[in-house]
Amino acid sequence: MKHLIAPSILAADFANMGKDIKMLDQSNADWVHVDVMDGCFVPNISFGFPVLKAIKPLTNKTMDCHLMIVEPEKYVEDFAKAGADVITIHYEATNHLHRAMQQIKNTGVLAGVALNPHTPVNLLFDILEEIDLVCLMSVNPGFGGQKFIYSTIKKTKQLKEEITRRNLNTKIEIDGGVGLQNAESLLQAGADVLVAGSAVFKADNPMEMIDKLKNVGVYNEL
Ligand code: DX5
Ligand code: ZN
């Protein structure tokens, strides 16, 4: 399967969010990445399910919700109701990851786990079968426009090896500082979904940038 591109609307124009969502809808982007921040798990506040609910009717794209919040279990049903298609919570934000994966899947959406840059991938191996998507953070979560942390490439390879060895369908998503400069290395390492905020929205022509990211010449073997 060809890799997926998930522009992050954290870098969109908040005063014209509807316009930016419609642009994504017309584009070759696969998913819309929705970064939810609570000012507690991360030192920034973005938006929550009311915003998701408002933008959902403007596009048919998959809504990929990345919850950077404490006690994410409290809000899983709200995000599913507001239109999430993928709900990703942080490994570092819950004591009961296995249960949370079941809870997310019970709402009928895909269940994801995000790992901060310091969290090793093997901490997920005991429950890898339960996880639809692993989001490897390639920056410290909280802000767009940060510098890509290169050790993510090694983590991507380690995780891909384990997924392939067990013949699982778990997708690997990379989030933070992704752009044309590192997309190819990430895809070669085994990434399936590339999140791109600044690379897309700060480009002169965001739709063209999405095409470029989509056409980076490495295909996955999924
Ligand atoms: C960081 C967010 C990312 C971020 C990506 O906390 O999870 O999704 O918006 O933005 P860029 O691509 O600008 O690093
Ligand atoms: Zn994100």
Side-chain angles (χ1 to χ4, degrees):
M1 199 185 85
K2 199 169 187 227
H3 62 273
L4 307 180
I5 301 300
S8 164
I9 56 168
L10 189 64
D13 177 359
F14 286 6
N16 292 289
M17 189 64 109
K19 192 168 145 261
D20 280 349
I21 299 291
K22 285 182 192 157
M23 178 278 289
L24 292 181
D25 190 59
Q26 298 297 307
S27 79
N28 288 318
D30 301 279
W31 291 2
V32 175
H33 187 81
V34 180
D35 282 311
V36 177
M37 303 177 181
D38 66 353
C40 194
F41 181 71
V42 287
N44 195 8
I45 299 177
S46 56
F47 41 70
F49 40 81
V51 170
L52 174 63
K53 200 171 168 188
I55 61 176
K56 175 74 177 175
L58 305 180
T59 177
N60 291 320
K61 305 276 182 190
T62 296
M63 287 295 178
D64 174 31
C65 297
H66 176 195
L67 306 190
M68 287 161 273
I69 63 177
V70 297
E71 299 190 83
E73 301 88 348
K74 276 191 183 172
Y75 303 102
V76 163
E77 283 77 17
D78 289 308
F79 279 101
K81 263 192 226 132
D85 299 293
V86 183
I87 296 180
T88 297
I89 64 170
H90 267 263
Y91 172 88
E92 302 83 4
T94 180
N95 288 325
H96 303 286
L97 198 54
H98 182 277
R99 183 190 292 153
M101 291 294 101
Q102 304 307 321
Q103 185 194 357
I104 295 172
K105 286 197 263 195
N106 285 342
T107 69
V109 310
L110 296 180
V113 180
L115 298 183
N116 278 342
H118 70 273
T119 305
V121 290
N122 61 19
L123 290 176
L124 296 181
F125 286 1
D126 283 349
I127 62 159
L128 207 47
E129 278 79 5
E130 312 298 328
I131 305 173
D132 295 312
L133 173 136
V134 177
C135 174
L136 297 179
M137 293 306 303
S138 38
V139 297
N140 287 296
F143 303 92
Q146 302 182 77
K147 215 169 145 256
F148 180 80
I149 298 172
Y150 266 89
S151 52
T152 313
I153 293 183
K154 196 171 121 212
K155 286 171 84 172
T156 307
K157 283 185 192 152
Q158 285 171 350
L159 181 57
K160 185 67 180 185
E161 243 173 61
E162 190 64 15
I163 290 169
T164 309
R165 195 176 68 76
R166 297 203 217 166
N167 205 12
L168 300 175
N169 285 322
T170 312
K171 283 189 182 348
I172 304 179
E173 178 177 68
I174 311 295
D175 188 7
V178 174
L180 287 174
Q181 71 286 358
N182 49 26
E184 185 154 357
S185 314
L186 287 166
L187 295 172
Q188 268 166 0
D192 303 295
V193 187
L194 301 179
V195 175
S198 318
V200 166
F201 285 99
K202 304 278 181 270
D204 291 339
N205 185 336
M207 282 178 92
E208 206 175 275
M209 179 53 71
I210 292 167
D211 285 343
K212 285 185 183 161
L213 287 165
K214 190 76 195 161
N215 289 327
V216 170
V218 179
Y219 291 74
N220 287 330
E221 297 163 342
L222 280 185

